[in-house]
């Protein structure tokens, strides 16, 4: 079906560069947690485009705000201001103030990788000459642009693109001693996820995150938290760092911040942001009015429904049900960022495929576990529906 669906110049022609593997389904339409493919088949989306459409597909509040904005003003360049982007940056700053007790400043961009590029450049400018190193964790994911890829703790992803940019080192996730040992005078910052998302939905412990905060304070390093996947209520708090009660120096965001509109942001404490001067960074699309409208609509709607509380409560409900399924050995994660561990005898990819055929969208985040990150707006009946589908597939012995 995919070859036929993509066919524009011959049966086997695919217009996309071959970096993603062959997609098995083409989706045409979505509403809330439901998706429909081009044949009209219905699915429940328990991946949310990888933790992106946290308010559901085509959320009316977000769609209306974006539609109104695109019919009012879309883009004027950074030589000028526009009210929508200014409001978005103010809203993000207000949220970071409420959650970390600090005021800062925002750079708006278009993706998580770009947000991390800003963090890495900030770290280098903050560190000064000779102090440019960024320590991140093995198993981490920070994006695909070259510096974000260099920060990503997955050596196999580096290999085809050597040489990587300099100044990156990786330590085992969760090992504070290893992190401390990796710090020398060339290190300027630590970049860390509070839950490793792509790495398998592995939450950091509170002690680890507090330990990093303490080390960064002692050594004068920036604690930079990549909240691209964990941010915007996904884990049951606005940001993952809140679970540990710490205040980061730099926070990067994307995914859920736009509910599907491509936008990202880097936030830094005011004295940290102050190391940037005009010309140090930029992007044509930094702070377009449309992106600004999307961000403010997402924050307002998440506040209105109290998305962090919903994610926490529904996440508990879902995890309780998942862990009771025969064939689920454990459930990891926080809020509505979860992984069901199927155990070493089970091929998660086969389970993913069977679930997709039955109309449930998930992701085999590693060889033996399924990532589940449904929209926060998902009604409880649809959690039950998903649990029944997973239980059914596992009971049939799929993937054994
Ligand atoms: C997805 C992700 C990124 C990269 O975001 P893009 O928008 O794909 O560039 C970075 N960090 C984390 C933690 C992510 O989950």
């Amino acid at each position: 079906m995919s070859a036929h669906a993509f066919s524009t110049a011959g049966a086997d022609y695919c217009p996309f560069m071959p970096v993603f593997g062959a997609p098995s389904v083409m989706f045409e339409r979505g509403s809330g947690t439901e998706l429909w493919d081009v044949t009209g088949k219905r699915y429940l989306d328990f991946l949310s485009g990888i933790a992106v459409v946290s308010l559901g597909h085509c959320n009316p509040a977000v769609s209306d705000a974006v539609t109104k904005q695109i019919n009012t003003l879309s883009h004027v360049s950074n030589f000028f201001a526009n009210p929508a982007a200014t409001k978005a940056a103010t809203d993000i700053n207000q949220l970071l103030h409420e959650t970390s007790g600090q005021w800062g400043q925002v750079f708006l961009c278009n993706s998580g990788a770009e947000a991390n590029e800003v963090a890495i450049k900030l770290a280098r400018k903050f560190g000064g000459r000779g102090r440019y190193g960024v320590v991140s964790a093995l198993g981490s994911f920070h994006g695909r642009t070259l510096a974000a890829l260099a920060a990503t703790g997955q050596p196999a992803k580096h290999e085809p693109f050597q040489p990587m940019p300099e100044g990156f080192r990786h330590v085992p996730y969760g090992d504070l001693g290893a992190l401390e040992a990796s710090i020398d005078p060339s290190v300027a910052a630590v970049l860390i996820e509070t839950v490793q998302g792509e790495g398998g939905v592995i939450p950091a412990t509170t002690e680890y995150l507090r330990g990093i905060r303490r080390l960064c304070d002692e050594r004068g390093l920036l604690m930079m938290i990549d909240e691209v996947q964990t941010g915007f209520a996904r884990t049951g708090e606005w940001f993952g760092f809140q679970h540990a009660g710490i205040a980061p120096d730099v926070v990067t965001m994307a995914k859920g911040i736009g509910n599907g509109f491509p936008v990202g942001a880097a936030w830094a404490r005011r004295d940290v942001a102050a190391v940037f001067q005009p010309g140090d960074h930029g992007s044509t699309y930094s702070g377009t009015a449309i992106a600004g409208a999307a961000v403010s609509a997402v924050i307002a709607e998440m506040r209105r429904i109290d998305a962090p509380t919903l994610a926490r409560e529904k996440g508990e409900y879902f995890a309780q049900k998942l862990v009771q399924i025969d064939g689920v050995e454990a459930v990891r994660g926080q809020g509505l960022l979860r992984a069901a561990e199927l155990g070493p005898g089970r091929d998660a990819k086969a389970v993913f495929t069977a679930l997709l055929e039955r109309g449930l969208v998930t992701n085999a985040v590693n060889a033996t576990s399924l990532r589940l990150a449904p929209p926060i707006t998902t009604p409880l009946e649809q959690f039950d529906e998903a649990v029944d589908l997973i239980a059914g597939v596992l009971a049939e012995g799929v993937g054994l």
Side-chain angles (χ1 to χ4, degrees):
M1 186 202 101
S2 58
H4 173 74
F6 284 137
S7 177
T8 55
D12 295 327
Y13 185 89
C14 171
F16 296 115
M17 289 193 186
V19 294
F20 289 122
S24 48
V25 177
M26 188 178 277
F27 290 117
E28 191 169 58
R29 191 161 65 80
S31 173
T33 301
E34 293 173 291
L35 282 170
W36 289 269
D37 72 12
V38 289
T39 72
K41 178 178 164 186
R42 170 190 177 265
Y43 299 76
L44 281 182
D45 185 359
F46 268 53
L47 186 60
S48 308
I50 315 186
V52 168
V53 290
S54 294
L55 290 169
H57 290 280
C58 304
N59 181 285
V62 182
S63 296
D64 284 358
V66 168
T67 306
K68 278 207 187 88
Q69 188 60 52
I70 207 168
N71 287 319
T72 305
L73 179 73
S74 59
H75 177 79
V76 291
S77 93
N78 289 294
F79 294 139
F80 312 101
N82 73 79
T86 305
K87 175 160 173 39
T90 305
D91 290 347
I92 293 168
N93 201 27
Q94 175 66 34
L95 201 53
L96 264 300
H97 178 71
E98 288 169 23
T99 53
S100 82
Q102 311 171 105
W103 290 109
Q105 289 176 311
V106 174
F107 184 87
L108 289 169
C109 55
N110 310 287
S111 67
E114 283 173 86
N116 284 327
E117 293 282 336
V118 176
I120 292 161
K121 286 179 76 174
L122 259 178
R124 289 185 173 206
K125 196 91 200 289
F126 172 86
R129 277 222 175 272
R131 196 156 162 261
Y132 52 81
V134 173
V135 186
S136 52
L138 287 166
S140 64
F141 184 79
H142 298 297
R144 301 291 199 150
T145 57
L146 272 175
L149 181 61
T152 293
Q154 300 183 46
K157 288 191 166 70
H158 297 169
E159 242 359 87
F161 305 105
Q162 295 289 4
M164 283 288 108
E166 282 179 47
F168 296 89
R169 55 188 77 179
H170 302 97
V171 292
Y173 192 57
D175 184 342
L176 198 60
L179 179 64
E180 180 159 22
S182 77
I183 297 169
D184 65 27
S186 74
V187 171
V190 175
L191 176 64
I192 201 89
E193 294 161 276
T194 63
V195 179
Q196 285 192 337
E198 300 307 300
V201 189
I202 322 272
T205 64
T206 291
E207 305 80 74
Y208 182 57
L209 293 172
R210 288 189 180 164
I212 297 175
R213 178 68 274 177
R214 184 165 22 81
L215 266 180
C216 287
D217 288 340
E218 284 167 12
R219 309 289 182 94
L221 312 182
L222 294 181
M223 182 170 187
M224 313 199 297
I225 303 201
D226 181 342
E227 295 267 6
V228 170
Q229 191 153 159
T230 47
F232 291 87
R234 178 56 52 192
T235 68
E237 296 279 6
W238 282 104
F239 296 103
F241 66 77
Q242 291 177 262
H243 292 279
I246 52 164
D249 303 310
V250 176
V251 178
T252 58
M253 304 158 237
K255 293 202 166 100
I257 195 178
N259 208 56
F261 192 89
V263 53
W267 174 94
R269 231 177 49 212
R270 198 164 176 146
D271 58 305
V272 176
V275 304
F276 271 167
Q277 285 160 7
D280 278 342
H281 196 58
S283 168
T284 299
Y285 286 146
S286 174
T288 71
I290 316 171
V295 168
S296 289
V298 164
I299 294 175
E301 185 62 9
M302 285 190 166
R303 284 188 189 279
R304 191 184 70 78
I305 66 172
D306 190 3
T309 300
L310 286 181
R312 194 179 321 128
E313 290 175 357
K314 291 179 184 183
E316 275 311 307
Y317 178 84
F318 189 35
Q320 293 291 331
K321 295 227 154 185
L322 281 172
V323 80
Q324 283 167 28
I325 296 174
D326 229 0
V328 172
E329 295 202 345
V331 176
R332 292 189 298 273
Q334 296 168 332
L336 286 174
L337 181 57
R338 296 285 179 172
E341 176 60 54
L342 307 177
R346 186 86 76 158
D347 174 15
K349 211 150 201 177
V351 175
F352 153 80
T353 303
L355 287 171
L356 192 63
E357 275 163 14
R358 273 157 233 214
L360 182 67
V361 181
T362 64
N363 162 248
V365 71
N366 61 30
T368 61
S369 48
L370 284 182
R371 172 168 42 181
L372 301 156
I376 295 165
T377 48
T378 303
L380 291 187
E381 313 84 80
Q382 291 180 351
F383 283 97
D384 297 344
E385 199 181 332
V387 166
D388 288 346
L389 285 167
I390 296 167
V393 162
L394 295 183
E396 282 169 35
V398 172
L400 287 177

